[in-house]
PDB file of all heavy atoms in Angstrom:
ATOM      1  N   SER A1145      34.298  22.436 -18.726  1.00 91.00           N
ATOM      2  CA  SER A1145      34.041  21.782 -17.413  1.00 91.00           C
ATOM      3  C   SER A1145      34.545  20.379 -17.392  1.00 91.00           C
ATOM      4  O   SER A1145      34.520  19.701 -16.357  1.00 91.00           O
ATOM      5  CB  SER A1145      32.523  21.789 -17.111  1.00 91.00           C
ATOM      6  OG  SER A1145      31.868  21.035 -18.126  1.00 91.00           O
ATOM      7  N   GLY A1146      35.001  19.857 -18.552  1.00 94.00           N
ATOM      8  CA  GLY A1146      35.449  18.489 -18.701  1.00 94.00           C
ATOM      9  C   GLY A1146      34.345  17.544 -19.087  1.00 94.00           C
ATOM     10  O   GLY A1146      34.568  16.355 -19.349  1.00 94.00           O
ATOM     11  N   GLU A1147      33.146  18.082 -19.204  1.00 95.00           N
ATOM     12  CA  GLU A1147      32.019  17.229 -19.607  1.00 95.00           C
ATOM     13  C   GLU A1147      31.985  16.983 -21.082  1.00 95.00           C
ATOM     14  O   GLU A1147      32.170  17.900 -21.892  1.00 95.00           O
ATOM     15  CB  GLU A1147      30.722  17.944 -19.150  1.00 95.00           C
ATOM     16  CG  GLU A1147      29.502  17.103 -19.310  1.00 95.00           C
ATOM     17  CD  GLU A1147      28.246  17.749 -18.721  1.00 95.00           C
ATOM     18  OE1 GLU A1147      28.344  18.866 -18.201  1.00 95.00           O
ATOM     19  OE2 GLU A1147      27.204  17.127 -18.804  1.00 95.00           O
ATOM     20  N   ARG A1148      31.739  15.755 -21.452  1.00 97.00           N
ATOM     21  CA  ARG A1148      31.663  15.332 -22.859  1.00 97.00           C
ATOM     22  C   ARG A1148      30.161  15.125 -23.168  1.00 97.00           C
ATOM     23  O   ARG A1148      29.490  14.368 -22.408  1.00 97.00           O
ATOM     24  CB  ARG A1148      32.471  14.056 -23.123  1.00 97.00           C
ATOM     25  CG  ARG A1148      32.594  13.685 -24.553  1.00 97.00           C
ATOM     26  CD  ARG A1148      33.544  12.516 -24.731  1.00 97.00           C
ATOM     27  NE  ARG A1148      34.843  12.675 -24.119  1.00 97.00           N
ATOM     28  CZ  ARG A1148      35.854  13.418 -24.670  1.00 97.00           C
ATOM     29  NH1 ARG A1148      35.713  13.990 -25.802  1.00 97.00           N
ATOM     30  NH2 ARG A1148      36.988  13.525 -24.005  1.00 97.00           N
ATOM     31  N   ARG A1149      29.693  15.708 -24.225  1.00 97.00           N
ATOM     32  CA  ARG A1149      28.243  15.617 -24.548  1.00 97.00           C
ATOM     33  C   ARG A1149      28.105  15.309 -26.040  1.00 97.00           C
ATOM     34  O   ARG A1149      28.980  15.557 -26.863  1.00 97.00           O
ATOM     35  CB  ARG A1149      27.560  16.912 -24.234  1.00 97.00           C
ATOM     36  CG  ARG A1149      27.563  17.203 -22.711  1.00 97.00           C
ATOM     37  CD  ARG A1149      26.887  18.484 -22.319  1.00 97.00           C
ATOM     38  NE  ARG A1149      25.463  18.459 -22.506  1.00 97.00           N
ATOM     39  CZ  ARG A1149      24.551  18.076 -21.587  1.00 97.00           C
ATOM     40  NH1 ARG A1149      24.988  17.650 -20.400  1.00 97.00           N
ATOM     41  NH2 ARG A1149      23.305  18.132 -21.848  1.00 97.00           N
ATOM     42  N   LEU A1150      26.938  14.742 -26.421  1.00 97.00           N
ATOM     43  CA  LEU A1150      26.599  14.339 -27.764  1.00 97.00           C
ATOM     44  C   LEU A1150      25.480  15.236 -28.263  1.00 97.00           C
ATOM     45  O   LEU A1150      24.374  15.271 -27.623  1.00 97.00           O
ATOM     46  CB  LEU A1150      26.230  12.860 -27.839  1.00 97.00           C
ATOM     47  CG  LEU A1150      26.060  12.273 -29.191  1.00 97.00           C
ATOM     48  CD1 LEU A1150      27.410  12.170 -29.907  1.00 97.00           C
ATOM     49  CD2 LEU A1150      25.414  10.879 -29.093  1.00 97.00           C
ATOM     50  N   LEU A1151      25.683  15.870 -29.407  1.00 96.00           N
ATOM     51  CA  LEU A1151      24.640  16.698 -30.030  1.00 96.00           C
ATOM     52  C   LEU A1151      24.206  16.078 -31.343  1.00 96.00           C
ATOM     53  O   LEU A1151      25.041  15.907 -32.236  1.00 96.00           O
ATOM     54  CB  LEU A1151      25.164  18.138 -30.269  1.00 96.00           C
ATOM     55  CG  LEU A1151      24.239  19.111 -30.909  1.00 96.00           C
ATOM     56  CD1 LEU A1151      23.043  19.413 -30.053  1.00 96.00           C
ATOM     57  CD2 LEU A1151      24.954  20.406 -31.256  1.00 96.00           C
ATOM     58  N   ASP A1152      22.944  15.801 -31.457  1.00 93.00           N
ATOM     59  CA  ASP A1152      22.397  15.219 -32.709  1.00 93.00           C
ATOM     60  C   ASP A1152      21.922  16.402 -33.566  1.00 93.00           C
ATOM     61  O   ASP A1152      21.033  17.147 -33.186  1.00 93.00           O
ATOM     62  CB  ASP A1152      21.194  14.298 -32.379  1.00 93.00           C
ATOM     63  CG  ASP A1152      20.666  13.586 -33.592  1.00 93.00           C
ATOM     64  OD1 ASP A1152      21.001  13.945 -34.711  1.00 93.00           O
ATOM     65  OD2 ASP A1152      19.873  12.633 -33.379  1.00 93.00           O
ATOM     66  N   VAL A1153      22.538  16.582 -34.684  1.00 89.00           N
ATOM     67  CA  VAL A1153      22.174  17.727 -35.581  1.00 89.00           C
ATOM     68  C   VAL A1153      21.381  17.277 -36.817  1.00 89.00           C
ATOM     69  O   VAL A1153      21.123  18.098 -37.694  1.00 89.00           O
ATOM     70  CB  VAL A1153      23.413  18.526 -35.983  1.00 89.00           C
ATOM     71  CG1 VAL A1153      24.042  19.252 -34.754  1.00 89.00           C
ATOM     72  CG2 VAL A1153      24.435  17.689 -36.693  1.00 89.00           C
ATOM     73  N   LYS A1154      20.937  16.041 -36.857  1.00 81.00           N
ATOM     74  CA  LYS A1154      20.195  15.555 -37.991  1.00 81.00           C
ATOM     75  C   LYS A1154      18.918  16.394 -38.240  1.00 81.00           C
ATOM     76  O   LYS A1154      18.557  16.703 -39.382  1.00 81.00           O
ATOM     77  CB  LYS A1154      19.812  14.076 -37.865  1.00 81.00           C
ATOM     78  CG  LYS A1154      21.012  13.158 -38.016  1.00 81.00           C
ATOM     79  CD  LYS A1154      20.644  11.697 -38.015  1.00 81.00           C
ATOM     80  CE  LYS A1154      20.322  11.138 -36.693  1.00 81.00           C
ATOM     81  NZ  LYS A1154      21.371  11.094 -35.685  1.00 81.00           N
ATOM     82  N   VAL A1155      18.170  16.718 -37.166  1.00 73.00           N
ATOM     83  CA  VAL A1155      16.951  17.503 -37.317  1.00 73.00           C
ATOM     84  C   VAL A1155      17.231  18.855 -37.943  1.00 73.00           C
ATOM     85  O   VAL A1155      16.528  19.323 -38.869  1.00 73.00           O
ATOM     86  CB  VAL A1155      16.236  17.643 -35.967  1.00 73.00           C
ATOM     87  CG1 VAL A1155      15.047  18.600 -36.073  1.00 73.00           C
ATOM     88  CG2 VAL A1155      15.787  16.279 -35.460  1.00 73.00           C
ATOM     89  N   ALA A1156      18.277  19.508 -37.443  1.00 70.00           N
ATOM     90  CA  ALA A1156      18.635  20.851 -38.012  1.00 70.00           C
ATOM     91  C   ALA A1156      19.029  20.762 -39.458  1.00 70.00           C
ATOM     92  O   ALA A1156      18.793  21.654 -40.250  1.00 70.00           O
ATOM     93  CB  ALA A1156      19.802  21.453 -37.190  1.00 70.00           C
ATOM     94  N   LEU A1157      19.634  19.681 -39.865  1.00 68.00           N
ATOM     95  CA  LEU A1157      20.053  19.480 -41.251  1.00 68.00           C
ATOM     96  C   LEU A1157      18.895  19.174 -42.198  1.00 68.00           C
ATOM     97  O   LEU A1157      19.090  19.355 -43.432  1.00 68.00           O
ATOM     98  CB  LEU A1157      21.088  18.371 -41.370  1.00 68.00           C
ATOM     99  CG  LEU A1157      22.419  18.614 -40.631  1.00 68.00           C
ATOM    100  CD1 LEU A1157      23.321  17.380 -40.759  1.00 68.00           C
ATOM    101  CD2 LEU A1157      23.104  19.840 -41.119  1.00 68.00           C
ATOM    102  N   SER A1158      17.798  18.771 -41.685  1.00 65.00           N
ATOM    103  CA  SER A1158      16.646  18.440 -42.555  1.00 65.00           C
ATOM    104  C   SER A1158      15.688  19.602 -42.790  1.00 65.00           C
ATOM    105  O   SER A1158      14.662  19.448 -43.398  1.00 65.00           O
ATOM    106  CB  SER A1158      15.883  17.239 -41.951  1.00 65.00           C
ATOM    107  OG  SER A1158      15.284  17.638 -40.725  1.00 65.00           O
ATOM    108  N   GLY A1159      16.038  20.778 -42.315  1.00 62.00           N
ATOM    109  CA  GLY A1159      15.146  21.905 -42.341  1.00 62.00           C
ATOM    110  C   GLY A1159      14.994  22.662 -43.680  1.00 62.00           C
ATOM    111  O   GLY A1159      14.197  23.546 -43.766  1.00 62.00           O
ATOM    112  N   GLY A1160      15.770  22.310 -44.658  1.00 59.00           N
ATOM    113  CA  GLY A1160      15.644  22.963 -45.961  1.00 59.00           C
ATOM    114  C   GLY A1160      16.272  24.371 -45.922  1.00 59.00           C
ATOM    115  O   GLY A1160      15.844  25.265 -46.658  1.00 59.00           O
ATOM    116  N   ASN A1161      17.281  24.605 -45.132  1.00 62.00           N
ATOM    117  CA  ASN A1161      17.949  25.911 -45.054  1.00 62.00           C
ATOM    118  C   ASN A1161      19.385  25.801 -45.477  1.00 62.00           C
ATOM    119  O   ASN A1161      19.816  24.842 -46.136  1.00 62.00           O
ATOM    120  CB  ASN A1161      17.805  26.454 -43.621  1.00 62.00           C
ATOM    121  CG  ASN A1161      18.331  25.483 -42.599  1.00 62.00           C
ATOM    122  OD1 ASN A1161      19.203  24.634 -42.874  1.00 62.00           O
ATOM    123  ND2 ASN A1161      17.868  25.558 -41.370  1.00 62.00           N
ATOM    124  N   THR A1162      20.182  26.763 -45.100  1.00 61.00           N
ATOM    125  CA  THR A1162      21.601  26.803 -45.459  1.00 61.00           C
ATOM    126  C   THR A1162      22.317  25.575 -44.981  1.00 61.00           C
ATOM    127  O   THR A1162      23.296  25.139 -45.613  1.00 61.00           O
ATOM    128  CB  THR A1162      22.287  28.024 -44.841  1.00 61.00           C
ATOM    129  OG1 THR A1162      21.501  29.198 -45.246  1.00 61.00           O
ATOM    130  CG2 THR A1162      23.676  28.196 -45.353  1.00 61.00           C
ATOM    131  N   ALA A1163      21.853  24.977 -43.905  1.00 65.00           N
ATOM    132  CA  ALA A1163      22.548  23.799 -43.331  1.00 65.00           C
ATOM    133  C   ALA A1163      22.484  22.564 -44.305  1.00 65.00           C
ATOM    134  O   ALA A1163      23.181  21.622 -44.073  1.00 65.00           O
ATOM    135  CB  ALA A1163      21.957  23.474 -41.991  1.00 65.00           C
ATOM    136  N   ASN A1164      21.637  22.658 -45.310  1.00 68.00           N
ATOM    137  CA  ASN A1164      21.595  21.515 -46.251  1.00 68.00           C
ATOM    138  C   ASN A1164      22.880  21.202 -46.879  1.00 68.00           C
ATOM    139  O   ASN A1164      23.137  20.078 -47.343  1.00 68.00           O
ATOM    140  CB  ASN A1164      20.534  21.800 -47.334  1.00 68.00           C
ATOM    141  CG  ASN A1164      19.135  21.523 -46.868  1.00 68.00           C
ATOM    142  OD1 ASN A1164      18.903  20.868 -45.832  1.00 68.00           O
ATOM    143  ND2 ASN A1164      18.141  22.031 -47.556  1.00 68.00           N
ATOM    144  N   ILE A1165      23.782  22.207 -46.904  1.00 72.00           N
ATOM    145  CA  ILE A1165      25.105  21.986 -47.503  1.00 72.00           C
ATOM    146  C   ILE A1165      25.883  20.938 -46.668  1.00 72.00           C
ATOM    147  O   ILE A1165      26.788  20.248 -47.187  1.00 72.00           O
ATOM    148  CB  ILE A1165      25.921  23.315 -47.544  1.00 72.00           C
ATOM    149  CG1 ILE A1165      27.156  23.179 -48.431  1.00 72.00           C
ATOM    150  CG2 ILE A1165      26.337  23.784 -46.186  1.00 72.00           C
ATOM    151  CD1 ILE A1165      26.861  23.170 -49.913  1.00 72.00           C
ATOM    152  N   LEU A1166      25.516  20.715 -45.452  1.00 75.00           N
ATOM    153  CA  LEU A1166      26.230  19.786 -44.548  1.00 75.00           C
ATOM    154  C   LEU A1166      25.652  18.362 -44.584  1.00 75.00           C
ATOM    155  O   LEU A1166      26.067  17.540 -43.791  1.00 75.00           O
ATOM    156  CB  LEU A1166      26.158  20.324 -43.108  1.00 75.00           C
ATOM    157  CG  LEU A1166      26.720  21.702 -42.896  1.00 75.00           C
ATOM    158  CD1 LEU A1166      26.564  22.124 -41.426  1.00 75.00           C
ATOM    159  CD2 LEU A1166      28.205  21.715 -43.280  1.00 75.00           C
ATOM    160  N   THR A1167      24.758  18.080 -45.516  1.00 76.00           N
ATOM    161  CA  THR A1167      24.149  16.747 -45.568  1.00 76.00           C
ATOM    162  C   THR A1167      25.118  15.709 -46.101  1.00 76.00           C
ATOM    163  O   THR A1167      24.823  14.523 -45.999  1.00 76.00           O
ATOM    164  CB  THR A1167      22.815  16.715 -46.344  1.00 76.00           C
ATOM    165  OG1 THR A1167      23.059  17.230 -47.651  1.00 76.00           O
ATOM    166  CG2 THR A1167      21.784  17.537 -45.618  1.00 76.00           C
ATOM    167  N   SER A1168      26.268  16.091 -46.705  1.00 82.00           N
ATOM    168  CA  SER A1168      27.234  15.095 -47.065  1.00 82.00           C
ATOM    169  C   SER A1168      28.178  14.914 -45.904  1.00 82.00           C
ATOM    170  O   SER A1168      28.485  15.876 -45.180  1.00 82.00           O
ATOM    171  CB  SER A1168      28.030  15.572 -48.324  1.00 82.00           C
ATOM    172  OG  SER A1168      29.102  16.362 -47.969  1.00 82.00           O
ATOM    173  N   LYS A1169      28.612  13.654 -45.687  1.00 88.00           N
ATOM    174  CA  LYS A1169      29.485  13.371 -44.548  1.00 88.00           C
ATOM    175  C   LYS A1169      30.772  14.140 -44.638  1.00 88.00           C
ATOM    176  O   LYS A1169      31.320  14.620 -43.632  1.00 88.00           O
ATOM    177  CB  LYS A1169      29.762  11.856 -44.475  1.00 88.00           C
ATOM    178  CG  LYS A1169      28.634  11.094 -43.847  1.00 88.00           C
ATOM    179  CD  LYS A1169      28.979   9.642 -43.663  1.00 88.00           C
ATOM    180  CE  LYS A1169      27.772   8.908 -43.167  1.00 88.00           C
ATOM    181  NZ  LYS A1169      28.010   7.513 -43.031  1.00 88.00           N
ATOM    182  N   ASN A1170      31.309  14.308 -45.888  1.00 89.00           N
ATOM    183  CA  ASN A1170      32.594  15.046 -46.015  1.00 89.00           C
ATOM    184  C   ASN A1170      32.449  16.483 -45.569  1.00 89.00           C
ATOM    185  O   ASN A1170      33.329  17.004 -44.881  1.00 89.00           O
ATOM    186  CB  ASN A1170      33.088  14.950 -47.434  1.00 89.00           C
ATOM    187  CG  ASN A1170      33.598  13.581 -47.789  1.00 89.00           C
ATOM    188  OD1 ASN A1170      33.958  12.759 -46.950  1.00 89.00           O
ATOM    189  ND2 ASN A1170      33.627  13.271 -49.105  1.00 89.00           N
ATOM    190  N   ALA A1171      31.342  17.115 -45.979  1.00 87.00           N
ATOM    191  CA  ALA A1171      31.147  18.515 -45.555  1.00 87.00           C
ATOM    192  C   ALA A1171      30.884  18.569 -44.046  1.00 87.00           C
ATOM    193  O   ALA A1171      31.425  19.459 -43.376  1.00 87.00           O
ATOM    194  CB  ALA A1171      29.949  19.105 -46.332  1.00 87.00           C
ATOM    195  N   PHE A1172      30.129  17.658 -43.504  1.00 91.00           N
ATOM    196  CA  PHE A1172      29.815  17.670 -42.105  1.00 91.00           C
ATOM    197  C   PHE A1172      31.125  17.496 -41.243  1.00 91.00           C
ATOM    198  O   PHE A1172      31.267  18.148 -40.221  1.00 91.00           O
ATOM    199  CB  PHE A1172      28.838  16.545 -41.760  1.00 91.00           C
ATOM    200  CG  PHE A1172      28.390  16.524 -40.370  1.00 91.00           C
ATOM    201  CD1 PHE A1172      27.520  17.512 -39.845  1.00 91.00           C
ATOM    202  CD2 PHE A1172      28.819  15.548 -39.494  1.00 91.00           C
ATOM    203  CE1 PHE A1172      27.105  17.479 -38.546  1.00 91.00           C
ATOM    204  CE2 PHE A1172      28.455  15.504 -38.134  1.00 91.00           C
ATOM    205  CZ  PHE A1172      27.579  16.469 -37.676  1.00 91.00           C
ATOM    206  N   LYS A1173      31.988  16.696 -41.729  1.00 93.00           N
ATOM    207  CA  LYS A1173      33.241  16.407 -40.982  1.00 93.00           C
ATOM    208  C   LYS A1173      34.223  17.591 -41.015  1.00 93.00           C
ATOM    209  O   LYS A1173      35.273  17.543 -40.331  1.00 93.00           O
ATOM    210  CB  LYS A1173      33.876  15.104 -41.461  1.00 93.00           C
ATOM    211  CG  LYS A1173      33.021  13.921 -41.034  1.00 93.00           C
ATOM    212  CD  LYS A1173      33.804  12.691 -41.140  1.00 93.00           C
ATOM    213  CE  LYS A1173      33.001  11.532 -40.548  1.00 93.00           C
ATOM    214  NZ  LYS A1173      33.497  11.038 -39.299  1.00 93.00           N
ATOM    215  N   ARG A1174      33.941  18.612 -41.774  1.00 92.00           N
ATOM    216  CA  ARG A1174      34.831  19.799 -41.801  1.00 92.00           C
ATOM    217  C   ARG A1174      34.515  20.739 -40.613  1.00 92.00           C
ATOM    218  O   ARG A1174      34.928  21.920 -40.617  1.00 92.00           O
ATOM    219  CB  ARG A1174      34.609  20.571 -43.084  1.00 92.00           C
ATOM    220  CG  ARG A1174      35.150  19.915 -44.352  1.00 92.00           C
ATOM    221  CD  ARG A1174      35.253  20.846 -45.522  1.00 92.00           C
ATOM    222  NE  ARG A1174      34.189  21.758 -45.644  1.00 92.00           N
ATOM    223  CZ  ARG A1174      33.193  21.664 -46.528  1.00 92.00           C
ATOM    224  NH1 ARG A1174      33.148  20.677 -47.398  1.00 92.00           N
ATOM    225  NH2 ARG A1174      32.242  22.558 -46.563  1.00 92.00           N
ATOM    226  N   VAL A1175      33.858  20.291 -39.608  1.00 95.00           N
ATOM    227  CA  VAL A1175      33.537  21.051 -38.440  1.00 95.00           C
ATOM    228  C   VAL A1175      34.785  21.599 -37.757  1.00 95.00           C
ATOM    229  O   VAL A1175      35.808  20.929 -37.749  1.00 95.00           O
ATOM    230  CB  VAL A1175      32.631  20.294 -37.443  1.00 95.00           C
ATOM    231  CG1 VAL A1175      33.410  19.102 -36.823  1.00 95.00           C
ATOM    232  CG2 VAL A1175      32.014  21.172 -36.388  1.00 95.00           C
ATOM    233  N   TYR A1176      34.692  22.785 -37.138  1.00 94.00           N
ATOM    234  CA  TYR A1176      35.784  23.356 -36.398  1.00 94.00           C
ATOM    235  C   TYR A1176      35.240  24.349 -35.370  1.00 94.00           C
ATOM    236  O   TYR A1176      34.105  24.734 -35.408  1.00 94.00           O
ATOM    237  CB  TYR A1176      36.822  24.039 -37.316  1.00 94.00           C
ATOM    238  CG  TYR A1176      36.283  25.279 -38.053  1.00 94.00           C
ATOM    239  CD1 TYR A1176      36.497  26.555 -37.506  1.00 94.00           C
ATOM    240  CD2 TYR A1176      35.594  25.171 -39.246  1.00 94.00           C
ATOM    241  CE1 TYR A1176      36.010  27.678 -38.173  1.00 94.00           C
ATOM    242  CE2 TYR A1176      35.097  26.277 -39.908  1.00 94.00           C
ATOM    243  CZ  TYR A1176      35.318  27.539 -39.358  1.00 94.00           C
ATOM    244  OH  TYR A1176      34.824  28.654 -40.003  1.00 94.00           O
ATOM    245  N   LEU A1177      36.112  24.754 -34.427  1.00 95.00           N
ATOM    246  CA  LEU A1177      35.764  25.787 -33.503  1.00 95.00           C
ATOM    247  C   LEU A1177      36.307  27.105 -34.030  1.00 95.00           C
ATOM    248  O   LEU A1177      37.480  27.230 -34.376  1.00 95.00           O
ATOM    249  CB  LEU A1177      36.382  25.551 -32.131  1.00 95.00           C
ATOM    250  CG  LEU A1177      35.762  24.419 -31.331  1.00 95.00           C
ATOM    251  CD1 LEU A1177      36.486  24.294 -29.977  1.00 95.00           C
ATOM    252  CD2 LEU A1177      34.283  24.619 -31.094  1.00 95.00           C
ATOM    253  N   ASP A1178      35.473  28.113 -34.123  1.00 91.00           N
ATOM    254  CA  ASP A1178      35.912  29.420 -34.589  1.00 91.00           C
ATOM    255  C   ASP A1178      36.535  30.215 -33.423  1.00 91.00           C
ATOM    256  O   ASP A1178      36.707  29.701 -32.323  1.00 91.00           O
ATOM    257  CB  ASP A1178      34.794  30.214 -35.271  1.00 91.00           C
ATOM    258  CG  ASP A1178      33.665  30.664 -34.333  1.00 91.00           C
ATOM    259  OD1 ASP A1178      33.865  30.602 -33.098  1.00 91.00           O
ATOM    260  OD2 ASP A1178      32.655  31.133 -34.823  1.00 91.00           O
ATOM    261  N   ASP A1179      36.946  31.438 -33.709  1.00 89.00           N
ATOM    262  CA  ASP A1179      37.628  32.250 -32.726  1.00 89.00           C
ATOM    263  C   ASP A1179      36.764  32.550 -31.468  1.00 89.00           C
ATOM    264  O   ASP A1179      37.311  32.893 -30.418  1.00 89.00           O
ATOM    265  CB  ASP A1179      38.082  33.597 -33.326  1.00 89.00           C
ATOM    266  CG  ASP A1179      39.124  33.413 -34.380  1.00 89.00           C
ATOM    267  OD1 ASP A1179      39.802  32.325 -34.372  1.00 89.00           O
ATOM    268  OD2 ASP A1179      39.301  34.286 -35.244  1.00 89.00           O
TER     269      ASP A1179
END
């Protein structure tokens, strides 16, 4: 739609789940859009 939005994912990263792998900035910055 052309809208730019900001998503804070810090809470999701602190949950003690698989997302813990993303707590390093280098890993977090490997974000991409899948198919």
Side-chain angles (χ1 to χ4, degrees):
S1145 61
E1147 189 173 0
R1148 188 173 308 279
R1149 296 179 68 90
L1150 188 70
L1151 178 65
D1152 186 347
V1153 293
K1154 288 185 284 296
V1155 172
L1157 296 178
S1158 66
N1161 54 25
T1162 307
N1164 280 343
I1165 194 77
L1166 302 177
T1167 56
S1168 86
K1169 283 186 185 176
N1170 288 338
F1172 184 72
K1173 289 198 174 249
R1174 291 194 321 255
V1175 67
Y1176 66 95
L1177 289 181
D1178 68 12
D1179 294 339

